Amino acid sequence: MYGDDIASVLISEEEIASKVDELAELVAKRYPADAPEGDLLLVGVLKGAIFFMTDLAKKLTVPTQMEFMAVSSYGSSTSSSGVVRIMKDLDKDIAGRNVLIVEDIIDSGLTLSWLLRNLSSRNPASLEVVTLLRKPDALRTQVDVMAVGFDIPNEFVVGYGLDYAERYRDLPYIGTLDPKVYGG
Ligand code: XMP
Ligand code: MG
């Protein structure tokens, strides 16, 4: 539906679904359903992580609550500026809670390391990260991640929540964007 903007399908809808099952199983094992800290708190990073977050939550066998945060580091460019701004903060206090950040993609890792520092200063009982995608650059940044769905090549990807200039989030798969779209 986007003409030839998508150069190739990198991860199909079916591959995403079975990975989400796998990650849900892994996550559920780490958090007891009757933890004294209460329900696991999923913190989704808007907007890219919403498809992953809702699919993951539906597959988790432990009760979860959901909060969202919006941070901005990119504008509509395709490389990280390292400058992170909170566009929307959490509605609730996370002190004493088991918090799991749900991310769409870790690229340079700058956004996530900033987010980890920010959220840990609010004294959660625990703070972990699950990300659907990770690019090779992230391996050079020191960010501890509990679970990763797919390590992907260093290409700009869209779909399943990921956008370029707010487009392509609605694709059910993850694809690479033809460089002509961003003038590459
Ligand atoms: P850093 O570099 O801070 O970036 O780890 C993380 C955020 O940048 C966005 N990002 C992408 N968005 N396709 C996208 O649609 C990509 O290939 C891509 N790489 C990074 C994303 O918002 C992520 O949270
Ligand atoms: Mg984004």
Side-chain angles (χ1 to χ4, degrees):
M1 65 180 177
Y2 287 109
D4 56 4
D5 290 3
I6 305 303
S8 69
V9 176
L10 191 65
I11 308 168
S12 71
E13 202 173 345
E14 294 73 25
E15 287 171 306
I16 294 171
S18 68
K19 185 62 76 174
V20 169
D21 287 349
E22 213 178 284
L23 292 173
E25 203 174 309
L26 195 149
V27 168
K29 274 191 194 135
R30 309 279 182 113
Y31 299 96
D34 54 353
E37 295 82 12
D39 295 345
L40 174 62
L41 186 63
L42 302 178
V43 170
V45 185
L46 294 173
K47 303 170 192 169
I50 52 169
F51 285 58
F52 177 43
M53 174 129 152
T54 56
D55 284 349
L56 184 72
K58 284 183 281 182
K59 294 292 181 174
L60 280 170
T61 53
V62 291
T64 57
Q65 295 177 19
M66 288 178 227
E67 287 289 325
F68 294 95
M69 222 174 146
V71 297
S72 158
S73 60
Y74 269 30
S76 63
S77 144
T78 55
S79 65
S80 189
S81 65
V83 179
V84 178
R85 268 194 308 157
I86 296 184
M87 312 301 283
K88 182 215 172 299
D89 206 344
L90 301 174
D91 298 331
K92 295 238 162 60
D93 187 13
I94 60 167
R97 302 291 302 272
N98 285 322
V99 174
L100 179 63
I101 300 176
V102 181
E103 258 286 26
D104 51 352
I105 186 166
I106 308 175
D107 192 337
S108 70
L110 290 170
T111 307
L112 190 59
S113 12
W114 183 90
L115 201 58
L116 280 168
R117 261 179 283 126
N118 184 287
L119 293 187
S120 64
S121 74
R122 306 181 194 195
N123 301 314
S126 69
L127 181 61
E128 299 286 351
V129 180
V130 57
T131 184
L132 182 65
L133 307 172
R134 182 173 63 183
K135 287 190 187 176
D137 266 1
L139 303 172
R140 288 192 268 139
T141 321
Q142 188 47 51
V143 271
D144 278 333
V145 178
M146 189 181 86
V148 178
F150 302 93
D151 278 310
I152 62 166
N154 207 1
E155 280 177 276
F156 197 78
V157 294
V158 295
Y160 195 64
L162 291 152
D163 72 305
Y164 174 69
E166 296 303 326
R167 302 189 81 206
Y168 315 107
R169 293 191 199 276
D170 48 1
L171 292 172
Y173 57 84
I174 291 162
T176 56
L177 198 56
D178 193 299
K180 76 163 168 19
V181 177
Y182 50 87

